[in-house]
Amino acid sequence: MHNLKKYMKAEMDTEFFACVHAMSMVFIYGLELYLYGIKSMQYAVIFQIFLLGYVIAWSQKLLFIKDKIYEGLDYKVRIILWNTLPIVLTGIAGFFLNWYKPYPNLIWILFLVIMFVYYIMIWIALQMFYKDDSEELNNKLRNLKKQNERKGVKK
């Protein structure tokens, strides 16, 4: 039961980020096409982007799947992969699925650059949220410990 609960939590986290990544890619792709003068997107491309968002979210989740503290070179490599692997996967998918074949290369390059900045911003935001959550949890634990000490509760 514990493993099922752990898998379900990982899946929920992944699905959330899959949707966020996919919506960001659809928005940027659509905006670029709109600015280029094309006012519609193919459903097949939208569907492919959502599948790609799911693959990207799982690849990022798998980099930090274990409940442990990553440090040193291992941590730095995982950060680099967390931010660059999505761009590599997006480049491969976009190339083989011909998302930008009829358009100038500048649009494709701009899309990848914007998405790279997006992944870095997501990473920074996550780190800030995790740090705040950790500090809040530590403060609550300290306060609970002080309350228990005042009441004479033993460990």
Side-chain angles (χ1 to χ4, degrees), residues 79-143:
I79 292 171
I80 291 168
L81 288 173
W82 196 95
N83 287 287
T84 57
L85 188 58
I87 299 306
V88 171
L89 293 172
T90 303
I92 291 169
F95 177 79
F96 285 110
L97 298 172
N98 297 314
W99 293 350
Y100 283 98
K101 189 173 187 169
Y103 314 119
N105 286 337
L106 180 60
I107 294 176
W108 179 233
I109 292 167
L110 185 60
F111 178 76
L112 292 175
V113 168
I114 291 169
M115 292 311 300
F116 183 64
V117 170
Y118 158 80
Y119 289 113
I120 291 172
M121 289 173 28
I122 291 289
W123 175 260
I124 291 168
L126 285 172
Q127 296 314 298
M128 289 186 334
F129 291 137
Y130 288 146
K131 182 180 179 191
D132 289 346
D133 285 350
S134 294
E135 287 177 15
E136 182 181 346
L137 182 58
N138 286 335
N139 287 336
K140 286 180 179 180
L141 288 171
R142 274 192 291 277
N143 290 338

Side-chain angles (χ1 to χ4, degrees), residues 21 55-64 70 72-90 115-116 119-120 123:
H21 295 339
V55 170
I56 288 170
W58 261 114
S59 69
Q60 290 173 323
K61 182 71 174 174
L62 289 172
L63 287 168
F64 292 96
Y70 297 93
L73 183 61
D74 183 38
Y75 181 68
K76 290 176 184 173
V77 168
R78 288 172 190 274
I79 292 171
I80 291 168
L81 288 173
W82 196 95
N83 287 287
T84 57
L85 188 58
I87 299 306
V88 171
L89 293 172
T90 303
M115 292 311 300
F116 183 64
Y119 289 113
I120 291 172
W123 175 260

Side-chain angles (χ1 to χ4, degrees), residues 22-33:
M23 288 304 299
S24 298
M25 285 189 279
V26 166
F27 177 78
I28 297 301
Y29 182 86
L31 179 63
E32 285 185 330
L33 293 184

